[in-house]
């Protein structure tokens, strides 16, 4: 029964002696083939006289107006079946597409008849003339097979790609070293190559910790189910420093790093320290302990009195891992869990190990994924005042951190703008609730820049199908028109938070423009090596170069002010190297373009900067090696 089709009942059946095709000149046979079955003729005549309903109306048991075709079949889109044919029963049978097979059969018959008629005309006309019949010539000249809609759209897309050439290396680069270690750099990913001659960093020997703590560290970020939580937590707390050292590291963390991302406020971290050290009789969980330990670990990393990447920082980070693994992250998540993952991502990025950058991205993605389940706008949960303000500030700090991490790594973001409903705090709320805290690095202005500009830069830079160049130029104009912070907001005090805030804000828009235009800059330099300014992407050449020069200039100035702190923030050197690649390319291949400032001088200054920072920063040392290798490469 699977091959049973009711609407075939109305088709003509050929007799055994009937020819299978039309023969020119035999009109009787052709007419007999085109004539419906005698039973169908009777049905049509009876329907025209209004004696019976059509077959489809009878099948559906509905009223038929007994016209040919009837109004019911016309409304249902199956007028071609009326009065003899029926639509096959089943799901979707009331739609016109259900009669597809019938329409295809009818179309095949008409095509066969058309070709037979053309053959007949050709034979009849050829007996009296050597030239083909004019109708046949016209048909063959105009005969163009119509492409299916899906093929037409594919062809249009191909034409669009030809009009707007695809970006070079649009999918990124996979780097594999001699040991088999690999790392993927996306379209906007960092370009540093791991330097095999780097001096090994100090590595913590965890044998002094209890087996339970080390087991938790090995299971991170998952939970070790068989361990007693209370006893392991007590064991972790036995390795805490004196409260004076904990408060000192918290202050160092706030002063030296809160300008970049405000994950915890001064009030929150200090209150948590007093709770953990039992100065306040308030209950806390393993993730609260992990939050404090993560702050202490990063604080030790940026403690300028200690060596970079010191063992004390590794000690606190390992304890934070163990504490986080005592409670499930995904099933029992909270705002504290998100902050711990975020801080661990920052720690791995600043740890000095190139391989930890992958872990930094993974942890930040995990934090973002958990945040999508927790960080809905606080007003939805009834939060108001400072609590709502703190939650909104942290969420937008997480968004900004995630977007820049994705640009640096060339990976897609987890938090997409279409799913963000968290409001941006107002300037009045910032003035009220930020009083007594460390000044925000980017602040309300930075949050708006992320929403209005940075999100779109990430989409344009990391999209699998690159956007049109016209849309890139529109986004360029939008970034340029975005209001910069008022001069009164950029204070000139010599405090570290304010100095670093001035630094990051001074070239924030230039960094967005640099990442926006970098791929088109590369394409112009590659396709028009003699004069890139003749390229359709000449705007990207000038914009990328000017933005890169601003980034390098501001980095040099800030390094002179805060050299020890700058060398410990890996992202500063990643962004500076990205700018140096652009400047170096112009210096090597476009010296004749006479840009201001002079490209060769800017590139030499960048190499001097990396050479100075390389003494204490492995990231800057790799950037220096990359800058030297750039001189030997034929293209970026």
């Amino acid at each position: 029964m699977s091959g049973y089709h009711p609407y075939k009942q109305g088709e003509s059946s050929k007799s055994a002696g009937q020819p299978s095709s039309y023969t020119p000149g035999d009109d009787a046979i052709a007419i007999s083939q085109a004539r419906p079955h005698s039973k169908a003729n009777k049905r049509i005549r009876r329907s025209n006289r209004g004696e019976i309903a059509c077959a489809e109306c009878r099948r559906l048991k509905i009223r038929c107006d007994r016209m040919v075709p009837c109004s019911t079949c016309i409304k249902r889109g199956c007028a071609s079946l009326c009065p003899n044919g029926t639509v096959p029963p089943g799901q979707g049978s009331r739609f016109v597409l259900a009669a597809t097979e019938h329409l295809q059969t009818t179309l095949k018959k008409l095509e066969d008849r058309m070709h037979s008629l053309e053959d007949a005309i050709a034979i009849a006309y050829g007996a009296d003339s050597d030239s083909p019949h004019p109708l046949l010539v016209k048909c063959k000249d105009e005969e163009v097979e119509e492409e299916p809609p899906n093929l037409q759209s594919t062809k249009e897309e191909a034409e669009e790609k030809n009009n707007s050439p695809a970006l070079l290396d649009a999918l990124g680069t996979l780097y594999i070293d001699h040991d088999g270690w690999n790392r993927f750099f996306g379209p906007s990913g960092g370009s540093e190559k791991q330097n095999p001659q780097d001096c090994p960093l100090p590595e913590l020997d965890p044998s002094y910790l209890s087996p339970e703590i080390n087991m938790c560290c090995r299971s991170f970020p998952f939970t070790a189910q068989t361990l007693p939580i209370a006893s392991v937590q007590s064991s972790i707390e036995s390795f805490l420093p004196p409260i004076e050292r904990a408060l000192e590291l918290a202050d160092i963390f706030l002063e030296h790093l809160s300008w970049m991302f405000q994950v915890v406020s001064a009030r929150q971290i200090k209150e948590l320290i007093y709770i953990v050290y039992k100065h306040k009789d308030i209950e806390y969980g393993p993730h609260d302990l992990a939050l404090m330990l993560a702050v202490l670990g990063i604080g030790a990393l940026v403690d300028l009195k200690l060596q970079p990447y010191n063992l004390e920082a590794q000690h606190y980070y390992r304890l934070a891992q163990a504490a986080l693994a005592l409670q499930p992250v995904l099933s029992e998540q909270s705002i504290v869990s998100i902050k711990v993952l975020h801080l661990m991502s920052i720690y791995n990025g600043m740890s000095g190990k190139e391989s930890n950058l992958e872990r930094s991205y993974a942890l930040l993605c995990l934090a973002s994924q958990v945040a999508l389940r927790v960080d809905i706008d606080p007003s939805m949960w009834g939060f108001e005042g400072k609590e709502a303000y703190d939650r909104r500030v942290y969420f937008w700090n997480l968004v900004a951190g995630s977007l820049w991490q994705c640009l640096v790594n060339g990976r897609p973001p987890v938090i997409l703008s279409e799913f963000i409903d968290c409001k941006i705090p107002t300037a009045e709320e910032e003035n009220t609730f930020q009083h007594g805290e460390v000044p925000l690095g980017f602040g309300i202005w930075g949050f708006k820049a992320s929403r209005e500009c940075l999100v779109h830069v990430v989409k344009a830079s990391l999209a699998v199908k690159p956007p049109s160049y016209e849309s890139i130029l529109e986004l360029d104009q939008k970034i340029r028109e975005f209001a910069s912070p008022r001069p009164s907001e950029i204070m000139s005090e010599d405090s570290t938070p304010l100095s670093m805030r001035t630094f990051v804000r001074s070239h924030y828009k230039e960094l967005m423009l640099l990442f926006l235009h970098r791929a088109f800059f590369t394409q112009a330099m590659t396709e028009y090596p003699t004069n890139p300014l003749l390229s359709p992407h000449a705007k990207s050449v000038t914009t990328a170069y000017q933005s890169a020069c601003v980034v390098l200039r501001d980095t040099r100035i800030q390094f002179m002010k805060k050299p020890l702190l700058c060398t410990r923030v890996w992202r500063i050197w990643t962004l500076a190297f990205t700018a140096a690649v652009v400047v170096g390319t112009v210096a090597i291949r476009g010296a004749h373009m006479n840009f201001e400032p002079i490209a060769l001088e800017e590139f030499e200054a960048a190499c001097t900067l990396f050479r100075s920072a390389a003494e204490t920063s492995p990231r800057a040392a790799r950037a220096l090696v990359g800058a030297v290798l750039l001189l030997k490469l034929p293209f970026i």
Side-chain angles (χ1 to χ4, degrees):
M1 296 295 292
S2 61
Y4 179 69
H5 297 286
Y7 54 74
K8 284 190 174 181
Q9 293 176 358
E11 294 179 9
S12 61
S13 57
K14 300 176 183 178
S15 61
Q18 191 177 23
S20 59
S21 62
Y22 176 84
T23 302
D26 194 348
D27 294 336
I29 297 178
I31 294 174
S32 66
Q33 286 183 341
R35 182 177 298 164
H37 194 271
S38 58
K39 184 177 180 179
N41 283 336
K42 294 179 181 180
R43 188 180 191 90
I44 292 175
R45 288 194 295 270
R46 294 179 64 186
S47 298
N48 287 334
R49 293 196 301 267
E51 297 177 1
I52 62 172
C54 70
E56 180 63 10
C57 290
R58 289 170 63 85
R59 182 182 72 84
L60 297 176
K61 298 179 181 179
I62 59 177
R63 188 178 186 85
C64 180
D65 59 9
R66 299 180 181 180
M67 301 296 291
V68 179
C70 68
S71 60
T72 303
C73 290
I74 294 175
K75 291 178 180 179
R76 296 182 62 247
C78 56
S80 60
L81 304 179
C82 186
N84 300 317
T86 58
V87 176
Q91 184 178 5
S93 61
R94 290 179 178 268
F95 298 94
V96 65
L97 292 180
T100 300
E101 187 172 345
H102 167 79
L103 296 176
Q104 290 177 345
T105 303
T106 303
L107 179 62
K108 182 65 170 61
K109 285 184 176 182
L110 293 176
E111 287 179 348
D112 292 342
R113 180 168 177 78
M114 179 188 70
H115 293 314
S116 298
L117 290 173
E118 288 177 349
D119 293 341
I121 293 175
I123 294 174
Y125 192 79
D128 301 328
S129 175
D130 295 334
S131 61
H133 192 278
L135 291 177
L136 297 181
V137 174
K138 185 177 181 180
C139 290
K140 289 182 180 180
D141 291 341
E142 295 179 355
E143 184 178 3
V144 178
E145 185 177 359
E146 185 177 359
E147 297 178 355
N150 59 335
L151 295 181
Q152 287 181 340
S153 61
T154 304
K155 183 178 180 180
E156 292 173 358
E157 291 177 1
E159 291 177 352
E160 291 178 1
K161 290 183 178 180
N162 291 334
N163 295 333
S164 178
L167 295 178
L168 300 176
D169 298 329
L171 298 180
T173 304
L174 181 65
Y175 168 69
I176 304 177
D177 68 2
H178 60 281
D179 294 327
W181 179 83
N182 62 81
R183 183 182 175 201
F184 173 73
F185 297 93
S188 65
S191 308
E192 292 93 333
K193 180 181 181 295
Q194 188 179 18
N195 185 6
Q197 298 178 353
D198 281 346
C199 296
L201 299 175
E203 190 72 28
L204 179 70
D205 181 6
S207 59
Y208 67 95
L209 298 173
S210 65
E212 293 80 9
I213 294 179
N214 289 325
M215 184 180 298
C216 288
C217 292
R218 287 192 295 270
S219 64
F220 173 83
F222 303 103
T223 305
Q225 301 290 342
T226 59
L227 296 179
I229 297 177
S231 62
V232 176
Q233 183 170 330
S234 298
S235 179
I236 294 172
E237 292 173 356
S238 66
F239 291 96
L240 292 177
I243 187 172
E244 294 80 11
R245 178 58 176 165
L247 291 172
E248 180 187 11
L249 289 175
D251 288 334
I252 293 173
F253 167 84
L254 293 170
E255 181 181 4
H256 289 173
L257 211 63
S258 61
W259 55 268
M260 186 164 61
F261 302 117
Q262 181 170 346
V263 181
V264 294
S265 63
R267 179 187 61 83
Q268 179 186 8
I269 185 58
K270 291 184 178 180
E271 182 178 355
L272 181 58
I273 290 175
Y274 287 124
I275 293 174
V276 171
Y277 281 85
K278 308 299 188 293
H279 287 223
K280 289 187 177 181
D281 190 15
I282 300 177
E283 293 184 0
Y284 62 95
H287 285 187
D288 297 303
L289 177 61
L291 178 63
M292 186 197 74
L293 288 166
V295 170
L296 299 184
I298 300 176
L301 275 182
V302 293
D303 186 351
L304 305 183
K305 298 188 299 292
L306 299 177
Q307 293 295 323
Y309 326 113
N310 53 79
L311 297 180
E312 184 179 1
Q314 297 181 39
H315 166 77
Y316 298 135
Y317 178 76
R318 192 167 185 85
L319 293 179
Q321 279 186 312
L324 188 66
L326 290 177
Q327 178 180 323
V329 175
L330 297 179
S331 60
E332 301 180 25
Q333 71 274 4
S334 65
I335 189 69
V336 174
S337 309
I338 302 169
K339 290 184 175 182
V340 176
L341 293 170
H342 191 178
L343 289 172
M344 287 184 167
S345 171
I346 294 174
Y347 176 92
N348 279 274
M350 300 177 61
S351 64
K353 295 182 180 180
E354 185 73 15
S355 58
N356 281 357
L357 292 179
E358 290 296 307
R359 184 178 298 180
S360 175
Y361 171 78
L363 288 171
L364 190 57
C365 286
L366 182 57
S368 302
Q369 191 68 47
V370 178
L372 291 175
R373 304 174 63 183
V374 176
D375 265 324
I376 302 174
D377 189 77
S379 60
M380 297 292 294
W381 311 120
F383 292 109
E384 296 179 354
K386 183 170 176 55
E387 181 66 25
Y389 169 78
D390 288 341
R391 284 175 172 262
R392 287 169 179 155
V393 165
Y394 171 65
F395 178 78
W396 282 103
N397 272 286
L398 177 63
V399 170
S402 175
L403 293 175
W404 280 112
Q405 183 86 352
C406 291
L407 278 177
V408 170
N409 284 23
R411 308 290 184 83
V414 173
I415 302 179
L416 302 177
S417 58
E418 292 82 357
F419 306 104
I420 294 178
D421 66 346
C422 188
K423 300 177 182 177
I424 293 178
T426 63
E428 292 75 15
E429 290 176 330
E430 182 179 9
N431 294 331
T432 301
F433 299 118
Q434 201 63 30
H435 181 71
E437 295 283 349
V438 178
L440 293 177
F442 298 101
I444 306 305
W445 173 84
F447 302 156
K448 293 180 179 178
S450 297
R451 183 184 63 186
E452 302 297 331
C453 302
L454 186 57
V455 168
H456 304 290
V457 172
V458 172
K459 289 182 179 180
S461 302
L462 302 178
V464 175
K465 181 181 178 182
S468 64
Y469 196 57
E470 289 74 15
S471 61
I472 294 294
L473 296 181
E474 291 176 1
L475 182 54
D476 173 284
Q477 188 65 26
K478 184 176 182 180
I479 294 173
R480 295 177 188 273
E481 294 175 353
F482 187 78
S484 298
R486 296 193 303 270
S488 58
E489 294 183 2
I490 302 179
M491 304 178 185
S492 58
E493 284 88 345
D494 194 33
S495 67
T496 299
L498 292 176
S499 175
M500 297 303 291
R501 183 178 78 167
T502 302
F503 165 62
V504 296
R505 287 184 174 187
S506 63
H507 59 275
Y508 197 76
K509 293 167 67 172
E510 279 71 22
L511 278 175
M512 289 191 288
L513 292 173
L514 176 60
F515 276 95
L516 179 66
H517 288 280
R518 192 179 70 163
F520 293 97
F521 166 86
T522 304
Q523 185 165 350
M525 297 296 295
T526 303
E527 294 180 348
Y528 293 82
T530 57
N531 191 356
L533 297 180
L534 296 178
S535 167
H537 307 135
K539 175 71 173 178
S540 295
V541 177
T542 56
T543 301
Y545 178 75
Q546 293 169 356
S547 299
C549 289
V550 173
V551 172
L552 290 175
R553 181 200 63 197
D554 289 351
T555 304
R556 288 196 303 270
I557 295 174
Q558 190 63 22
F559 179 72
M560 294 175 62
K561 293 179 180 180
K562 304 289 180 182
L564 295 179
L565 180 58
C566 287
T567 55
R568 303 197 186 192
V569 181
W570 70 273
R571 189 167 295 175
I572 291 178
W573 305 106
T574 293
L575 299 176
F577 180 76
T578 300
V581 170
V582 173
V583 173
T585 303
V586 175
I588 297 168
R589 307 188 61 181
H592 57 282
M593 291 189 290
N594 297 323
F595 280 154
E596 288 292 338
I598 300 175
L600 185 58
E601 295 178 356
E602 288 293 306
F603 187 61
E604 290 177 348
C607 291
T608 302
L609 173 67
F610 294 140
R611 191 174 295 109
S612 301
E615 299 176 1
T616 54
S617 173
R619 195 72 173 169
R622 280 187 286 273
L624 177 61
V625 174
V628 174
L629 290 176
L630 178 64
L631 299 173
K632 305 176 182 179
L633 295 178
F635 52 85
I636 299 179

